[in-house]
Amino acid sequence: MKTSTAVYPGTFDPITYGHMDLIGRALKLFGKVVVGVTTNPAKKPFFLLEERVALAKASVKNLANVEVKSFDSLLVDFARAENASVILRGLREMSDFPSEFQGATVNRKLEPSLETVFIVTSEKYSYLNSTIVKEIARFNGKLSEFVPGHVERALREKLSK
Ligand code: ADP
């Protein structure tokens, strides 16, 4: 597997230590991880696409073999364009499973050669998601355990506007 490329798709609104933990662990399995930041208008993201990409890029700048790109296409087409053989997703809790199972099945129908691989979240971050981070930021709570400093500053700056 060390020679394969995995795409790690998501909204990353914003990237958290949970996402970064998953990327770090994926690097032990795959030769390259391409973080794919989706437009996802259905989720009405707080940060613009370019901002989410920039925050993710800054978060992984010290990691070799990680790239951050945006995409606005079918995930299987993005994976194909990146020469990836794996779609990587995180599983935090049981409630993640139904939609992840559906997504993985649909993607296999669309592109049978792509495998979806799930990495189970570290207990340390299993409670953490971008929504909680935004909620804490809105009420001016402490964020240092959840996101890197530059993400915290971006949250505070955007909320102050
Ligand atoms: P999406 O809207 O596609 O679920 P997210 O940015 O919320 O995008 O999540 C992207 C991926 O990162 C998903 O596979 C999700 O399960 C995983 N993920 C989110 N939070 C964590 C976390 N705390 N630890 C590990 N993986 C996570």
Side-chain angles (χ1 to χ4, degrees):
M1 295 219 286
K2 258 293 193 187
T3 52
S4 22
T5 296
V7 291
Y8 177 34
T11 316
F12 302 99
D13 185 37
I15 191 164
T16 68
Y17 281 141
H19 296 122
M20 289 165 64
D21 177 71
L22 201 96
I23 294 166
R25 286 159 62 213
L27 284 172
K28 295 183 190 144
L29 301 173
F30 306 107
K32 181 169 145 190
V33 173
V34 181
V35 178
V37 185
T38 59
T39 42
N40 207 347
K43 272 199 168 178
K44 294 204 173 74
F46 176 71
F47 285 105
L48 300 172
L49 180 65
E50 309 82 81
E51 294 171 329
R52 285 180 279 134
V53 168
L55 292 173
K57 275 191 179 161
S59 306
V60 300
K61 67 175 194 297
N62 294 327
L63 295 176
N65 305 323
V66 182
E67 288 177 15
V68 179
K69 298 191 177 174
S70 63
F71 72 101
D72 184 21
S73 65
L74 277 177
L75 173 55
V76 293
D77 291 334
F78 174 64
R80 212 177 280 133
E82 294 301 322
N83 282 319
S85 52
V86 167
I87 295 171
L88 179 68
R89 295 282 292 171
L91 279 181
R92 281 162 296 193
E93 49 180 359
M94 288 302 283
S95 60
D96 278 342
F97 186 75
S99 60
E100 292 298 340
F101 180 73
Q102 186 186 31
T105 308
V106 168
N107 286 326
R108 189 161 55 212
K109 296 252 182 240
L110 293 171
E111 181 50 71
S113 69
L114 263 178
E115 285 298 340
T116 300
V117 172
F118 294 103
I119 293 188
V120 175
T121 307
S122 319
E123 305 84 85
K124 201 172 161 206
Y125 297 119
S126 57
Y127 64 89
L128 182 58
N129 62 36
S130 302
T131 305
I132 290 172
V133 163
K134 283 174 282 192
E135 197 76 354
I136 297 170
R138 241 172 230 123
F139 294 104
N140 222 4
K142 191 166 154 268
L143 284 166
S144 53
E145 273 185 59
F146 313 127
V147 294
H150 67 278
V151 174
E152 174 167 358
R153 283 191 291 281
L155 278 159
R156 305 234 184 267
E157 197 182 322
K158 199 156 176 101
L159 281 165
S160 70
K161 280 183 187 154

